[in-house]
């Protein structure tokens, strides 16, 4: 089901299991060199520059036509810092239950693989919080693409003073109509963000649970394999399912909110253009791009119930070599109330390839 994705395909890392790889051992390299500069001047988000590289080397062994085990490490290095910022062991099991259904446990296919819309998922998390651990169900066929996952972000034990943190999410695309060059798509996305746990000694930090949902319609027309246009009308919801009392440090200023996002996407060869209009009221999304929200990440006491933005994006990608891709992108966010313009630009080289080592017969 070919569509213009919410997140660029450049940053997807999903590797399907191939039956021909049974009993084979591969050395896999996943890496992205990134430069991202956020020139944010509004009171809602910090401006910063992220430049560096992450490296994720793994050994992948295919026990059978349907079962793969992965072991390796994830390393994140920022330019300007002598030390490695993140060093995380990587383990996962991927089981191809049927031709259309995958089960992944351990290190799941996270961040940009979820294909969440930007107000629900901030792109910078791709390199800042790249590793997700938990459980994932992937369903792909001609009509349905669905990703259901649990990301257990912080595990606690008896006596820990920190809270457990987890995210449950789903990103689904349903192909309603396919006729000639037209595609009519129903997107469904939701996130539950939870912080809680009762293993810490008294007094307990109050439990918080946030729900975000998204749906709408996307109408796309493909002129040919290299040129397409897509119109999207999206509606988003926010609900604080567990909101601590006012005066506590984890209290949310609004219990519920909503937003609408109208977009037009145009793709021509290696170029991708997006223009959109955002209208939000009391909208909060803990994992989303902060510029879309009604609460500031700089000062949680700074709020604005009614937000409206005019957004634009342009990107260019090029396949440098098999498994190696370059992408340059820029984005702007114009606040219609304050008349302020925030913008960002970035350059990325992504590697996602493997090398056959040997065949191991049992």
């Amino acid at each position: 089901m070919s569509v213009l994705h919410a997140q660029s395909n450049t940053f997807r890392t999903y590797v399907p299991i191939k039956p021909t790889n049974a009993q084979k051992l591969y050395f896999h390299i996943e890496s992205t060199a990134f430069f991202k500069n956020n020139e944010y001047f509004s009171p809602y988000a910090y401006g910063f520059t992220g430049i560096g590289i992450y490296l994720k080397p793994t050994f992948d062994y295919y026990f059978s036509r349907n079962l793969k085990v992965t072991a390796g490490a994830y390393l994140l290095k920022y330019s300007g810092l002598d030390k490695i910022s993140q060093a995380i062991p990587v383990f996962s099991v991927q089981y191809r239950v049927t031709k259309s259904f995958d089960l992944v446990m351990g290190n799941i296919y996270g961040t940009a693989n979820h294909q969440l819309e930007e107000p629900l998922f901030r792109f910078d998390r791709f390199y800042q919080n790249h590793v997700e651990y938990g459980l994932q169900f992937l369903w792909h066929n001609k009509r349905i693409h669905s990703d259901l996952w649990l990301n257990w972000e912080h595990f606690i034990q008896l006596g820990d003073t920190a809270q457990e943190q987890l995210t449950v999410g789903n990103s689904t695309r349903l192909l309603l109509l396919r006729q000639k060059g037209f595609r009519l798509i129903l997107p469904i996305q939701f996130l539950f963000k939870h912080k809680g746990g009762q293993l810490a000694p008294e007094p307990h930090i109050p439990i918080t649970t946030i729900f975000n949902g998204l749906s709408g319609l996307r109408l796309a027309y493909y002129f040919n394999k290299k040129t397409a246009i897509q119109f999207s009308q999206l509606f988003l919801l926010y609900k604080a399912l567990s909101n601590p009392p006012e005066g506590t440090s984890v209290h949310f200023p609004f219990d519920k909110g909503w937003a609408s996002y109208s977009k037009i996407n145009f793709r021509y060869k290696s170029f991708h253009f997006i223009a959109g209009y955002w209208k939000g009221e009391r909208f909060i999304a803990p994992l989303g791009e902060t510029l879309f929200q009604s609460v500031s990440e700089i000062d949680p006491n700074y709020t604005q119930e009614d937000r409206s933005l005019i957004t634009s994006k342009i990107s260019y990608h090029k396949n440098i070599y098999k498994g190696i891709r370059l992408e340059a992108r820029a984005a702007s966010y114009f606040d219609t109330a304050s008349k302020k313009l925030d913008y960002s630009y970035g350059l990325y080289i992504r590697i996602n390839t493997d090398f056959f080592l040997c065949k191991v017969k049992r």
Side-chain angles (χ1 to χ4, degrees):
M1 180 170 57
S2 181
V3 295
L4 298 173
H5 294 288
Q7 300 283 356
S8 171
N9 279 332
T10 296
F11 305 100
R12 296 191 69 194
T13 59
Y14 170 71
V15 179
I17 292 180
K18 299 178 181 178
T20 55
N21 287 339
Q23 297 183 337
K24 292 180 180 179
L25 178 65
Y26 286 85
F27 178 63
H28 187 91
I29 294 180
E30 178 195 323
S31 178
T32 299
F34 56 87
F35 167 70
K36 174 74 184 301
N37 185 30
N38 292 347
E39 294 292 339
Y40 294 167
F41 306 100
S42 74
Y44 293 95
Y46 289 106
F48 73 97
T49 302
I51 177 171
I53 186 171
Y54 81 71
L55 179 64
K56 185 181 174 184
T58 60
F59 290 97
D60 298 346
Y61 179 66
Y62 294 80
F63 278 89
S64 67
R65 297 163 52 91
N66 302 314
L67 181 63
K68 180 182 74 170
V69 174
T70 296
Y74 171 84
L75 304 172
L76 173 64
K77 173 67 172 66
Y78 285 107
S79 299
L81 293 178
D82 294 333
K83 62 180 181 180
I84 294 177
S85 295
Q86 292 182 11
I88 304 173
V90 171
F91 302 99
S92 69
V93 178
Q94 182 175 347
Y95 175 44
R96 188 172 179 256
V97 183
T98 68
K99 184 179 179 180
S100 303
F101 178 52
D102 280 40
L103 167 64
V104 184
M105 298 185 71
N107 177 216
I108 65 175
Y109 296 104
T111 60
N113 292 281
H114 300 315
Q115 294 296 314
L116 294 167
E117 289 286 340
E118 189 180 21
L120 296 186
F121 190 86
R122 190 176 193 175
F123 170 76
D124 295 329
R125 296 181 64 85
F126 171 75
Y127 64 88
Q128 293 175 340
N129 308 93
H130 185 76
V131 176
E132 296 183 11
Y133 259 98
L135 179 66
Q136 186 172 39
F137 302 94
L138 300 171
W139 182 272
H140 302 293
N141 60 32
K142 292 182 179 180
R143 292 284 179 178
I144 302 174
H145 281 219
S146 183
D147 178 0
L148 174 65
W149 74 94
L150 163 67
N151 178 23
W152 203 281
E153 296 156 341
H154 187 75
F155 174 81
I156 62 173
Q157 302 181 73
L158 185 62
D160 288 347
T161 56
Q163 289 181 298
E164 67 180 12
Q165 299 184 37
L166 59 96
T167 299
V168 175
N170 178 257
S171 177
T172 298
R173 302 191 308 273
L174 304 177
L175 181 59
L176 303 179
L177 174 66
R178 181 173 182 172
Q179 188 171 1
K180 295 183 178 180
F182 286 98
R183 308 284 190 276
L184 183 62
I185 300 150
L186 172 66
I188 302 172
Q189 299 177 3
F190 66 77
L191 291 169
F192 290 91
K193 179 70 173 176
H194 173 75
K195 295 182 181 180
Q198 288 77 41
L199 297 181
E202 297 283 357
H204 293 149
I205 302 174
I207 293 174
T208 60
T209 306
I210 295 295
F211 169 78
N212 288 120
L214 176 149
S215 191
L217 284 175
R218 298 185 181 126
L219 177 62
Y221 180 74
Y222 290 79
F223 299 92
N224 50 53
K225 292 183 178 180
K226 296 183 178 180
T227 307
I229 190 169
Q230 178 176 276
F231 300 92
S232 302
Q233 180 56 60
L234 305 173
F235 299 96
L236 301 92
L237 293 175
Y238 150 71
K239 175 64 177 176
L241 302 178
S242 299
N243 191 4
E246 188 173 355
T248 59
S249 60
V250 290
H251 171 74
F252 295 99
F254 311 116
D255 287 327
K256 58 184 178 179
W258 66 273
S260 69
Y261 198 16
S262 306
K263 296 196 302 178
I264 180 171
N265 296 29
F266 179 70
R267 186 185 69 200
Y268 177 69
K269 295 183 178 180
S270 295
F271 290 92
H272 192 185
F273 307 89
I274 305 176
Y277 175 72
W278 168 267
K279 171 70 173 178
E281 290 192 10
R282 302 178 298 278
F283 184 79
I284 299 175
L287 300 179
E289 172 57 61
T290 314
L291 292 173
F292 289 91
Q293 302 189 39
S294 294
V295 180
S296 169
E297 72 168 341
I298 301 173
D299 180 5
N301 295 317
Y302 185 89
T303 63
Q304 182 179 337
E305 293 193 14
D306 190 353
R307 300 285 319 281
S308 61
L309 300 171
I310 298 174
T311 65
S312 65
K313 296 181 176 66
I314 181 173
S315 65
Y316 169 80
H317 70 263
K318 180 179 181 180
N319 293 324
I320 302 175
Y321 192 73
K322 184 179 179 180
I324 304 177
R325 189 166 180 167
L326 176 145
E327 179 159 323
R329 52 164 54 189
S332 68
Y333 310 83
F334 179 73
D335 191 315
T336 60
S338 66
K339 309 301 181 184
K340 291 185 178 181
L341 178 67
D342 299 306
Y343 61 93
S344 66
Y345 50 88
L347 180 65
Y348 312 87
I349 296 180
R350 188 227 59 181
I351 301 173
N352 194 28
T353 190
D354 53 29
F355 302 90
F356 173 72
L357 296 179
C358 62
K359 187 166 186 178
V360 182
K361 293 185 178 181
R362 296 183 60 188

